[in-house]
Amino acid sequence: MSLLRKSRLILMAFSLALGAAIISQAVFMAEAVQRIFVEKASFSSIMLILGILLAVMALRTWLTYGNGKVGLHMAARAKTAMRGKVLQNLTEASMFSSLQGQTGGKVSVALDAVDEADSYFSQYMPRMMEASIIPILILVVAFTLHANTGWILLCTAPFIPLFMILVGLQTKNKSEEKYEQLAAFSGTFLDSLQGLVTLKIFGRASRQQQEIERSSLGYRDSTMSILKIAFTNTFMLEAIVMLSIGIVALELAIQLLVYKSMTFHTAFLLLLLVPEFYSLLKNTGTAFHSGRTSMGAIRKVEQMLEETEQTSEKGSDQKLQPAGISSLQEDIGALHPSLSTVPPFIELKNIQFHYAPGSFELETGQMSIQPGEKIAIVGKSGSGKTTLLNLISGLLQPTSGEVHMNGRPLMLTPEADWFKQVSYITQHPYIFAGTLAENIAIGAGNDVSHADIEKAAERAGLASLIAQLDQGLDTPVGEGGRGLSGGEKQRLALARAFLKQPSIILFDEPTVGLDLRTEQILQRSIASLSQDATMITVAHRLYTIQQADQIWFMSDGILADSGTHQELLERVPAYAEMVQIQRTGGIA
Ligand code: ADP
């Protein structure tokens, strides 16, 4: 903030100096013309004046350049700060808010809208500063030299800002509309690119093409309507300025020729200053227009920040956690240095959750998990198993009730500390554009050796794949790299977990049928990984279910019953039925 104020002060100083330079330039120009044409002085006698005139012109150019430069610096700083904030906001947002909205739309705001904000600082601010200082200086000079000119300037000048405000108000809504169009366009484009294969398979590619065409035309139209307003705006401004200069010139001519009440020097000086006066006000018009467009963009960025903050409210740990509690947690952490390596005692205290009021409701009642226990969550598709796993992981926050770790509410534990001890292996692990080694290394801190990564890869059953690859662990994977099969992705996720050595493993077991060998590798790796950890699995395999210490049976969002495999078989007919379907080859 103080940096912005400093920049404003510099802008003000530059504008004042620029005003002085503009007036001096006119004064010396009028003086030179007076001496040459009226007094018929010799060229050598006005050499000094011409020299000073040149110096003042150079100074004026330098000051204009300086003003622009300060604006550019301000814009660069503001854009860096805005992008930083947007990125921070997106990375710190809860999983729930990350899932909302289109990725393309977010990208468009983070890149294009921030870029568009540039002209507010680089154009609007310097021009506005100039316009609020220099015309006043010129007005003072005009009133001092010839009050009539001063009055004409004073009476005609308000038409320019008045006109600008009217047009500005129109473009403001238009430019906000334009941003909505652009975000929608980017979103449709990115979604279509990402889902191109699906679209082709379902024969929807051409329909999507039409959709892209429709939204790009929408964007074109809103851009064109802004440009239309901008062009009309410029034309009208020019007309007003020409008319006003004409009135001043007419008045000066009458004074000079008819009433002979004025010297040529004064009249000429005023005639030089008047266009400067209007041109400054006119520049403000253009700056005002681009400023408005930028404000639309800035508002869009702010809106996005607000939206992610609102949806993150329940998820963002930083927000929920008062500073005092955070330091308390640090103290507790210091008292229990082994906190992250020993599995905690987990309790679910009457958790209730819904994504939106009136939709799917989840309820758990009172549940507890002893350190090192193996839990299998089972139930039909859509019964809320993944949602429950996300609630235990802290990625989603309960609507009511609490998850407790070692007797303390999970939401009081700093997110970073908590995620240090958890590995979450989802059904579709995300593979980043980078090498295999880099992708495994994100499982741990920065201080992992190549040997550690290799060992983790080996324990996860990736050794044979790596041996086949020319570049081994350095093979690029993910976007633009080598593709990986579903089983290989799962193993990569396991390698991340081996490197991390978590005390809690959350595992969303793949529903897709893996080949027998991959199954065996996964089972063996999971078993070895979970030796010293609590393991909570959304289970689809009978083997996993049978191995579990406790099975939680979910039905329509309710954690209906829990117990061992035998207990549930005897007690819950729906469970017995589900197991029967499993046996005969179906999946839950
Ligand atoms: P399961 O893992 O048992 O198949 P889920 O936990 O994925 O079930 O989903 C439970 C219910 O919540 C389903 O009705 C699903 O449509 C709904 N649901 C899942 N994710 C979201 C979300 N991000 N927003 C709204 N509803 C969701």
Side-chain angles (χ1 to χ4, degrees):
M1 253 312 149
S2 74
L3 263 176
L4 197 67
R5 213 167 34 230
K6 204 172 119 197
S7 304
R8 274 213 189 103
L9 282 176
I10 299 176
L11 273 185
M12 196 185 277
F14 269 73
S15 301
L16 267 172
L18 189 61
I22 288 173
I23 293 167
S24 319
Q25 183 188 320
V27 169
F28 286 107
M29 182 88 87
E31 186 62 32
V33 172
Q34 163 89 13
R35 294 215 189 160
I36 295 172
F37 294 103
V38 181
E39 296 168 15
K40 309 269 189 247
S42 68
F43 185 70
S44 57
S45 67
I46 58 156
M47 280 297 275
L48 183 66
I49 292 178
L50 286 180
I52 297 173
L53 182 62
L54 270 179
V56 171
M57 282 169 130
L59 180 71
R60 178 181 173 174
T61 313
W62 183 79
L63 284 169
T64 312
Y65 170 79
N67 237 357
K69 198 91 183 152
V70 175
L72 283 179
H73 272 297
M74 263 161 62
R77 267 202 304 268
K79 281 196 307 185
T80 311
M82 263 162 97
R83 275 218 176 96
K85 216 164 153 189
V86 168
L87 286 180
Q88 192 187 7
N89 197 283
L90 287 178
T91 47
E92 282 179 2
S94 70
M95 182 166 103
F96 189 49
S97 78
S98 315
L99 293 173
Q100 308 285 308
Q102 286 174 312
T103 314
K106 290 178 189 168
V107 171
S108 136
V109 170
L111 299 178
D112 300 328
V114 173
D115 259 340
E116 192 92 9
D118 184 295
S119 57
Y120 177 79
F121 299 95
S122 62
Q123 301 273 328
Y124 181 77
M125 296 254 291
R127 290 299 92 77
M128 281 300 175
M129 190 61 88
E130 284 171 11
S132 58
I133 292 177
I134 308 175
I136 294 175
L137 294 181
I138 297 180
L139 260 185
V140 171
V141 175
F143 269 107
T144 322
L145 293 176
H146 181 62
N148 283 0
T149 307
W151 284 116
I152 297 175
L153 291 186
L154 203 60
C155 293
T156 52
F159 284 107
I160 297 175
L162 194 76
F163 186 71
M164 272 155 29
I165 289 167
L166 286 177
V167 177
L169 287 178
Q170 262 182 310
T171 46
K172 188 180 142 238
N173 291 339
K174 290 267 178 207
S175 83
E176 274 167 20
E177 196 182 296
K178 179 183 138 186
Y179 265 97
E180 264 154 38
Q181 301 268 11
L182 179 61
F185 173 55
S186 309
T188 318
F189 200 70
L190 189 72
D191 287 350
S192 310
L193 275 183
Q194 284 177 338
L196 205 56
V197 176
T198 316
L199 289 169
K200 279 204 155 167
I201 288 170
F202 285 97
R204 302 288 280 224
S206 65
R207 216 180 127 162
Q208 200 63 13
Q209 199 179 342
Q210 284 163 7
E211 181 63 26
I212 291 180
E213 190 179 341
R214 202 186 52 75
S215 60
S216 70
L217 288 181
Y219 177 57
R220 181 201 65 184
D221 290 344
S222 59
T223 310
M224 288 312 276
S225 69
I226 291 190
L227 284 178
K228 212 154 79 184
I229 295 173
F231 286 140
T232 339
N233 177 13
T234 319
F235 174 73
M236 291 302 286
L237 278 175
E238 288 295 340
I240 293 176
V241 168
M242 296 299 273
L243 199 68
S244 307
I245 296 177
I247 296 171
V248 175
L250 185 68
E251 200 270 334
L252 286 177
I254 293 171
Q255 295 292 345
L256 193 66
L257 301 175
V258 181
Y259 296 105
K260 299 206 187 317
S261 61
M262 188 184 259
T263 62
F264 171 80
H265 182 275
T266 316
F268 192 59
L269 172 56
L270 282 169
L271 215 50
L272 285 176
L273 282 178
V274 168
E276 299 278 7
F277 177 83
Y278 288 115
S279 119
L280 279 161
L281 291 185
K282 206 172 62 190
N283 284 349
T284 332
T286 327
F288 195 80
H289 166 72
S290 54
R292 276 289 175 202
T293 319
S294 289
M295 276 182 224
I298 293 174
R299 176 136 343 146
K300 205 76 214 158
V301 174
E302 279 169 358
Q303 225 171 39
M304 187 184 106
L305 293 178
E306 269 168 30
E307 271 166 21
T308 32
E309 256 160 42
Q310 265 166 20
T311 33
S312 286
E313 217 129 74
K314 290 191 283 174
S316 168
D317 159 69
Q318 257 100 351
K319 282 188 84 75
L320 280 168
Q321 188 173 285
I325 292 174
S326 145
S327 56
L328 185 78
Q329 286 297 313
E330 276 161 26
D331 292 347
I332 294 168
L335 286 174
H336 301 277
S338 56
L339 193 71
S340 62
T341 51
V342 177
F345 171 57
I346 306 173
E347 289 163 286
L348 309 187
K349 294 196 172 268
N350 291 319
I351 288 182
Q352 293 191 337
F353 175 82
H354 54 73
Y355 286 100
S359 68
F360 166 82
E361 292 274 349
L362 185 137
E363 247 182 80
T364 65
Q366 293 274 1
M367 300 302 293
S368 58
I369 305 170
Q370 298 298 329
E373 247 187 332
K374 314 283 168 258
I375 307 290
I377 306 175
V378 299
K380 283 196 199 125
S381 171
S383 59
K385 305 181 293 291
T386 312
T387 307
L388 180 57
L389 205 61
N390 287 338
L391 282 161
I392 299 173
S393 71
L395 291 173
L396 290 177
Q397 294 293 328
T399 320
S400 71
E402 278 173 338
V403 180
H404 277 212
M405 297 288 157
N406 291 337
R408 284 196 315 275
L410 176 63
M411 68 179 223
L412 295 187
T413 308
E415 201 175 75
D417 290 359
W418 167 239
F419 285 135
K420 246 182 237 161
Q421 45 182 326
V422 181
S423 270
Y424 190 169
I425 304 162
T426 62
Q427 283 202 32
H428 306 285
Y430 194 82
I431 311 297
F432 293 93
T435 64
L436 259 177
E438 282 164 356
N439 261 289
I440 297 172
I442 62 161
N446 294 331
D447 49 350
V448 283
S449 68
H450 207 265
D452 289 338
I453 297 175
E454 218 168 83
K455 203 165 144 210
E458 199 179 304
R459 292 182 73 187
L462 278 172
S464 61
L465 169 74
I466 292 165
Q468 282 171 26
L469 301 170
D470 289 344
Q471 290 166 275
L473 269 173
D474 297 321
T475 309
V477 288
E479 188 100 35
R482 184 190 190 279
L484 293 175
S485 74
E488 286 161 352
K489 283 185 189 169
Q490 284 285 330
R491 278 180 265 168
L492 195 149
L494 282 176
R496 285 174 181 163
F498 272 113
L499 204 57
K500 191 168 179 178
Q501 299 285 347
S503 59
I504 302 161
I505 302 160
L506 305 169
F507 182 34
D508 201 346
E509 203 170 51
T511 44
V512 286
L514 300 173
D515 63 274
L516 205 62
R517 207 182 114 62
T518 310
E519 280 266 5
Q520 281 170 348
I521 292 172
L522 281 183
Q523 262 164 22
R524 221 177 311 131
S525 303
I526 289 275
S528 116
L529 190 62
S530 64
Q531 257 167 13
D532 306 313
T534 299
M535 175 103 192
I536 305 170
T537 311
V538 169
H540 303 286
R541 308 254 185 292
L542 201 54
Y543 176 83
T544 320
I545 299 170
Q546 283 168 339
Q547 296 289 312
D549 300 315
Q550 257 195 78
I551 299 157
W552 290 0
F553 181 65
M554 299 284 298
S555 171
D556 294 330
I558 314 276
L559 209 169
D561 209 337
S562 67
T564 61
H565 182 53
Q566 267 317 315
E567 284 167 358
L568 289 186
L569 274 182
E570 287 160 18
R571 221 167 38 216
V572 188
Y575 177 79
E577 190 188 330
M578 199 190 75
V579 171
Q580 190 55 37
I581 296 173
Q582 270 281 317
R583 285 225 169 85
T584 50
I587 47 165

